[in-house]
Amino acid sequence: MNLSINLGGITYAFRDLKELFAKANEQKSGDELAGIAAETVQERIAAKAVMSDILLKDIRENPLIPYEEDEVSRLLDEDLNEPIYNEIQHWSVAELREYILRLDVTNTELRRMSKGLTSEMIAAVTKLMSNMDLVYAANKIEIITTCNSAIGQRGTLSSRLQPNHPTDNIDGIMASLKEGLAYGVGDAVIGINPVDDSVESVKRVLHATKEFMTEWQVPTQNCVLAHVTTQMKAIRQGAPADMVFQSIAGTEKANRAFGISIELLKEAQSLIKKQGTSAGPNQFYFETGQGSELSAEAHYDIDQLTLESRNYGFARHFNPFIVNTVVGFIGPEYLYDSKQVIRAGLEDHFMGKMHGLPMGVDICYTNHIKADQNDNENLGVLLAAAGVNFIIAAPMGDDVMLNYQSMSYHDVPTLQELFNKRPAPQFERWLEKMGITENGRFTSRAGDLTIFEK
């Protein structure tokens, strides 16, 4: 395995794959904060050139975190499809990129081949791709999942309705929920981030959303994004939850900081299967985001893109209904400005799709990052072109509870119209029945909350 190259009379040598992976990454403030980023553009180019010749088997045989030290590493290797891996193990990373981007390679072929790739292999090929490569490749891949309803069909763009409230006031949540539905938002999930992570608060919100969904026959899913252990207690006490949520990370140590383990998530999966209120089979919702391992001091000197890819390998094991990266939420320490956020959003979406995941993105930024709403909209357009399964929307694009900016309710139908996409089929039929849309277009009743008065 060659880890050096001479470019322009200068030799660039990398001590191991961990250093090579970090230096081949696009510029990220998180990698710079960790002290592992390429020091110059020339060094980054050299690292990419070396990376292109690395064989897939070299990546597997030189794990970035040893299997005996990390349960995520063990899970990723154990889940690998050995016969498919054996077919491609002698490919270089450059050859993998060329295969993914070939015009004649189909969704079915990519889905099959991806089962023989580890998360680190997917991270490696991502580093060699341009933004347009990431858009083009991700758009090839169709991932359909089912909870109460099915999303992810080609030609659709779904959305998470996020009616958060700064005091968990049920009336406030329900007013925002009705507005979102009246704009055709919410076919992926009605998902609320609670201020109060208590069992009683979670139960109240789950009951309120489920009762509304039942009364108005809304074909979607409900979820309260409390810690998984809180949700499990609420479910055991009879709360109507369609799926279980949890934020995850790419190392065992970072997951421990989140208060989770593989064993705990398997327990939650068994519980939601037996006591959840959806038909399934997909009943997990995971959130991720580049930089979470570094913020937990659990990154092992690995770059944040590669750790994010390991998130998706971890998520793949649990066959989730939806996964999304909260791409600009953690802050400028990890993604400094809009250029880095846009790049990370496209990377995360592609890597999730390459893992066979129903991938969404919370297109967002915090007020101390160098970005604005125009940057959000730019990423929204790119992701819609890339075939993202769903995006997240909050009232006026401003989450008053989490204090960050996202996409707005009206951004979802705007992107659908621009790209000739529709909501999920069941949800679209419901919108037609409610008079919100007609022949795929909004009627004058769109956005009118009185639709939900009897």
Side-chain angles (χ1 to χ4, degrees):
M1 180 173 63
N2 179 31
L3 293 177
S4 66
I5 190 170
N6 186 287
L7 293 179
I10 300 173
T11 297
Y12 298 88
F14 306 95
R15 65 178 178 273
D16 53 24
L17 276 184
K18 187 182 292 188
E19 182 181 27
L20 179 66
F21 269 66
K23 303 257 174 147
N25 201 15
E26 291 295 300
Q27 185 177 14
K28 303 282 176 62
S29 56
D31 295 336
E32 291 170 348
L33 177 66
I36 60 174
E39 294 183 6
T40 64
V41 172
Q42 291 85 349
E43 186 180 27
R44 181 174 296 111
I45 292 170
K48 288 177 184 286
V50 173
M51 176 72 76
S52 68
D53 288 332
I54 296 294
L55 302 184
L56 300 185
K57 73 180 188 69
D58 293 333
I59 296 174
R60 188 184 187 189
E61 292 170 2
N62 296 273
L64 302 187
I65 307 178
Y67 302 126
E68 61 271 16
E69 296 179 16
D70 184 88
E71 69 173 10
V72 176
S73 294
R74 292 192 294 274
L75 184 74
L76 300 183
D77 194 67
E78 290 165 3
D79 281 352
L80 195 67
N81 183 300
E82 294 289 350
I84 297 174
Y85 166 73
N86 288 334
E87 295 173 14
I88 61 176
Q89 63 174 312
H90 295 290
W91 287 10
S92 69
V93 177
E95 288 172 325
L96 174 60
R97 175 185 175 273
E98 292 304 309
Y99 178 83
I100 292 169
L101 295 174
R102 268 173 42 188
L103 289 172
D104 60 336
V105 173
T106 65
N107 170 60
T108 300
E109 290 167 322
L110 286 177
R111 292 287 305 277
R112 177 186 181 275
M113 185 265 294
S114 70
K115 296 180 186 300
L117 296 174
T118 66
S119 297
E120 284 83 357
M121 296 172 195
I122 293 172
V125 76
T126 302
K127 295 170 189 291
L128 300 187
M129 289 189 163
S130 70
N131 285 8
M132 189 175 290
D133 290 342
L134 297 172
V135 170
Y136 176 76
N139 188 53
K140 287 185 172 189
I141 304 171
E142 180 185 44
I143 314 291
I144 301 173
T145 51
T146 304
C147 189
N148 283 324
S149 57
I151 68 167
Q153 300 88 345
R154 191 171 296 282
T156 64
L157 171 60
S158 294
S159 54
R160 170 186 158 192
L161 173 52
Q162 185 168 295
N164 293 345
H165 191 275
T167 64
D168 290 343
N169 179 275
I170 295 298
D171 289 340
I173 289 171
M174 297 311 295
S176 182
L177 184 156
K178 292 173 185 177
E179 182 186 20
L181 289 172
Y183 278 112
V185 174
D187 50 341
V189 63
I190 297 170
I192 295 99
N193 299 86
V195 177
D196 179 1
D197 194 273
S198 69
V199 175
E200 289 305 314
S201 177
V202 170
K203 286 165 60 178
R204 278 195 305 273
V205 178
L206 284 171
H207 278 290
T209 52
K210 178 58 74 172
E211 287 165 9
F212 182 88
M213 288 165 55
T214 301
E215 180 181 3
W216 292 95
Q217 299 179 308
V218 188
T220 188
Q221 296 68 222
N222 75 335
C223 186
V224 175
L225 284 67
H227 191 270
V228 63
T229 54
T230 307
Q231 295 169 78
M232 291 167 71
K233 290 174 184 176
I235 292 166
R236 288 186 175 117
Q237 293 178 25
D242 291 328
M243 69 181 84
V244 171
F245 165 85
Q246 183 54 45
S247 295
I248 59 172
T251 69
E252 179 180 353
K253 185 177 179 181
N255 279 326
R256 296 287 182 186
F258 285 165
I260 63 168
S261 64
I262 293 172
E263 182 181 6
L264 176 62
L265 292 184
K266 286 181 177 179
E267 182 184 349
Q269 188 173 44
S270 177
L271 176 66
I272 196 68
K273 181 178 180 181
K274 292 178 181 177
Q275 293 183 235
T277 46
S278 66
N282 310 111
Q283 294 174 293
F284 252 121
Y285 176 9
F286 292 124
E287 276 193 344
T288 71
Q290 289 195 28
S292 59
E293 296 83 6
L294 177 57
S295 67
E297 298 184 354
H299 61 103
Y300 295 88
D301 290 328
I302 300 171
D303 68 278
Q304 59 191 42
L305 179 151
T306 301
L307 291 170
E308 182 71 8
S309 189
R310 285 168 59 93
N311 271 283
Y312 303 134
F314 184 70
R316 175 165 61 179
H317 182 81
F318 294 94
N319 197 22
F321 176 64
I322 49 176
V323 178
N324 73 260
T325 171
V326 191
V327 68
F329 183 74
I330 302 181
E333 302 88 350
Y334 308 98
L335 297 170
Y336 180 70
D337 57 16
S338 59
K339 182 177 181 179
Q340 293 187 16
V341 169
I342 287 170
R343 174 68 188 188
L346 297 178
E347 290 169 343
D348 295 355
H349 175 248
F350 165 74
M351 292 190 297
K353 283 286 191 73
M354 279 300 297
H355 280 86
L357 293 174
M359 197 65 197
V361 179
D362 189 354
I363 304 165
C364 63
Y365 63 97
T366 54
N367 287 318
H368 61 313
I369 198 171
K370 291 177 70 66
D372 60 27
Q373 207 66 21
N374 287 328
D375 299 312
N376 257 19
E377 293 174 6
N378 290 344
L379 181 52
V381 168
L382 288 168
L383 286 166
V388 68
N389 274 38
F390 73 102
I391 63 173
I392 292 178
M396 299 301 294
D398 184 11
D399 192 305
V400 295
M401 192 278 278
L402 291 172
N403 292 313
Y404 79 118
Q405 273 55 57
S406 185
M407 298 295 272
S408 73
Y409 291 158
H410 60 269
D411 288 332
V412 175
T414 300
L415 288 171
Q416 289 170 340
E417 184 174 340
L418 275 172
F419 288 91
N420 194 28
K421 291 181 181 287
R422 311 290 275 266
Q426 259 184 288
F427 194 77
E428 184 175 32
R429 290 193 292 271
W430 178 81
L431 292 174
E432 296 263 348
K433 184 181 76 172
M434 295 296 294
I436 297 169
T437 63
E438 184 177 346
N439 298 321
R441 308 282 292 190
F442 274 132
T443 69
S444 59
R445 301 195 70 190
D448 183 359
L449 273 64
T450 64
I451 292 170
F452 299 109
E453 292 180 2
K454 286 189 175 180

